[in-house]
Amino acid sequence: MAASKEGFGLKDVTLDLPLGYIMGLIGPNGAGKSTLIKLILNMIRRDSGDIQVLGRDNIQEEEAIKGDLGVVFDSIFLNGQWYVEAAERIMAPFYPRWNSRRYADYLQRFGLQPGQKIKKLSRGMQMKLMLAIALSHDARLLILDEPTSGLDVLSRDELMDILVDYIADGRHSVLFSTHITADLESVADFITYINAGSVYFTGPKDEFEDSFMLVQGAHGDISRAQESMLLGLRAYATGFDALIRSEDRQTFLEAADPAHSGVREGRYQMQRADFDTVMRLTVHGPRQLGSTPEFHSVDGGTASSRVKSGASLSVRNGHEGGKQ
Amino acid sequence: MNQIMLAAKTDCRSWSHRGRAWMILAILGAFPLVSCLLIVLVGLGDEVSDVLVGLLTGSCFGLMIGQLVDCFFNFDGPEGNLFGLMPVQRKNQILGRYLYLHLTPLGMGLGFILMVFTARAYRNRVLDFSGAVNELGSIVLAGLALLALGMVFLDLCLPLFYRNTATQAMLKIFTYAVGLIVLGLLIAQIPLDWSAFLSEVLLFFSANTWRTMLIGLALLVVIDLVSKYISRQAYLAKDL
């Protein structure tokens, strides 16, 4: 893990997100999701590397890039003393493509009154206000940083519906950071899993879901040969949960220690690992995936997945010492 | 330039809870205009006019402190994210903020000139326009000195606010102010004829108005540039 006394290190990261898709950025708290988003926005200093957003350098062309971004943070970025009507007066001049009519429509749709004070709004309503701002200037890339934490299930469903509508025209993309992985199961097309400042996986969601298997077995029933295949392991007094690559399933079974248990059939329970399982088993001392040509390569903390060429978000950077 | 103006307007709008940029200008303009009306209509004497001028100066310095705190109080919290997502580079955000904050000393200087000129012209409800015009040069000089004083105050404070949190910055300003007073008291203990020394200094500055203005302007420009440079370095290194 690239952590130091000064703080946190984010190693080489590359993500490609084609237009018209939603990418879920997942990872445990402190993994580097917010750091990555803040690096994209040039809100925290990077020590090395470069960041390309929508094909442009995020510092050299900061103003143009930010004009194309819509951002929703986990906390409201507007002064709590302001009224809702002030939000448009303050934000609209930044964006040449600001659409007042669309903003008014969103306010109406979300039940936001112009005369309401922002600090009096609930967390869900504050998130909707940020969303209304982000959606009202035709942002090509919408970045959401943990927008659903603290929201009830109805608000989360509503947000997902809005995101699906937003990308439907194929001109917009969404980068959606969350640690509530259930949100992504229905809407995400791509998944980037960040762990300890490195990209562990980036690629289509279906591939992510097909790539990992959860293996459950009796306590200590793992041979040395099997251990080398484990991406993560959690042992209990009564058994263990382990994570392997799906393609290693057969090899894993064949490598079982015959002395430990005579019965091979039913010795292990195997099932497709969901997002939470992958995070749970890889968060402590992750074993990164080996470099395999047909798989999304992760080598020495560098990940790359090029699913489709075209307008995309690409991030390459090195960052240390930023805050989490 | 557009980006700097945009940043300055954002700060102006932020001052109003309803996002109206003209509010700060209305606040700045209201006091001198109302005072001038009072002077003209009610016929205030010199003493009352002087009190009003004092009030203007005091309230403008109070407003400057209020604006500083308002600009930076939530700068390090979630509300600081606004400055990260706004499509204005940080260096332009700084210049915009200097521009916005310097509006207050400008308003103070202009308000001072307007009020004192009106007070001289309508002294005790007797119109003496030519007399006021004769005094205009010294009134403008005093107004410019007030403007410069406000600018220097802000130029000294702003880097502290960019380097520290608002609370830390205020504490430092307070500490420096106390330190200056203590330093002044210590210097006063030096066995020197201070009244003669100060007379010499005043004589030097009053002997040639243009020379004094040029020295003041040069000092002001240097202080302003150094202040902007330090603020810029601090803000560029700051994590939002």
Side-chain angles (χ1 to χ4, degrees), chain A residues 90-149:
Chain A
I90 288 164
M91 300 305 295
F94 293 133
Y95 304 106
R97 297 196 301 274
W98 181 270
N99 187 328
S100 289
R101 188 174 215 164
R102 192 183 301 160
Y103 180 72
D105 287 345
Y106 275 118
L107 289 192
Q108 194 173 23
R109 177 175 174 180
F110 296 153
L112 287 159
Q113 303 296 325
Q116 287 176 299
K117 264 204 170 181
I118 289 172
K119 71 172 181 184
K120 295 271 175 73
L121 299 174
S122 67
R123 193 182 140 68
M125 296 301 268
Q126 288 181 347
M127 187 277 293
K128 286 175 181 173
L129 178 58
M130 286 191 283
L131 196 61
I133 292 166
L135 297 175
S136 295
H137 64 91
D138 198 29
R140 286 173 65 197
L141 174 63
L142 189 61
I143 298 177
L144 305 145
D145 186 12
E146 306 270 6
T148 53
S149 50

Side-chain angles (χ1 to χ4, degrees), chain A residues 4-224:
Chain A
S4 65
K5 268 189 179 177
E6 286 75 30
F8 169 84
L10 194 61
K11 292 176 277 295
D12 292 340
V13 173
T14 300
L15 354 157
D16 283 344
L17 173 58
L19 288 172
Y21 292 96
I22 296 174
M23 175 180 276
L25 186 60
I26 61 169
N29 291 330
K33 305 185 295 293
S34 296
T35 301
L36 178 61
I37 288 171
K38 288 193 166 187
L39 277 169
I40 290 170
L41 293 168
N42 193 27
M43 290 174 70
I44 52 178
R45 191 167 45 87
R46 68 172 190 245
D47 294 330
S48 61
D50 62 281
I51 298 177
Q52 301 279 324
V53 184
L54 300 165
R56 290 169 290 186
D57 186 276
N58 80 322
I59 292 178
Q60 300 298 323
E61 297 183 65
E62 183 174 1
E63 288 160 4
I65 287 170
K66 286 185 177 175
D68 276 336
L69 299 182
V71 187
V72 175
F73 291 103
D74 58 344
S75 304
I76 188 91
F77 54 76
L78 301 168
N79 188 328
Q81 296 296 332
W82 293 347
Y83 291 87
V84 169
E85 64 176 310
E88 184 180 18
R89 291 199 183 103
I90 288 164
M91 300 305 295
F94 293 133
Y95 304 106
R97 297 196 301 274
W98 181 270
N99 187 328
S100 289
R101 188 174 215 164
R102 192 183 301 160
Y103 180 72
D105 287 345
Y106 275 118
L107 289 192
Q108 194 173 23
R109 177 175 174 180
F110 296 153
L112 287 159
Q113 303 296 325
Q116 287 176 299
K117 264 204 170 181
I118 289 172
K119 71 172 181 184
K120 295 271 175 73
L121 299 174
S122 67
R123 193 182 140 68
M125 296 301 268
Q126 288 181 347
M127 187 277 293
K128 286 175 181 173
L129 178 58
M130 286 191 283
L131 196 61
I133 292 166
L135 297 175
S136 295
H137 64 91
D138 198 29
R140 286 173 65 197
L141 174 63
L142 189 61
I143 298 177
L144 305 145
D145 186 12
E146 306 270 6
T148 53
S149 50
L151 293 190
D152 62 41
V153 67
L154 293 176
S155 298
R156 280 159 54 189
D157 285 350
E158 192 180 0
L159 173 64
M160 298 310 139
D161 291 343
I162 291 165
L163 296 184
V164 170
D165 285 349
Y166 187 65
I167 58 155
D169 62 2
R171 292 176 47 243
H172 305 96
S173 307
V174 176
L175 179 66
F176 183 170
S177 149
T178 185
H179 61 266
I180 304 172
T181 53
D183 294 335
L184 299 173
E185 277 164 12
S186 56
V187 297
D189 303 294
F190 296 92
I191 293 293
T192 294
Y193 169 34
I194 292 190
N195 189 12
S198 297
V199 170
Y200 194 87
F201 177 95
T202 182
K205 183 183 73 177
D206 296 342
E207 270 188 42
F208 184 94
E209 290 171 332
D210 292 340
S211 295
F212 302 101
M213 294 219 77
L214 169 67
V215 182
Q216 293 172 307
H219 182 70
D221 188 9
I222 297 182
S223 67
R224 281 196 181 279

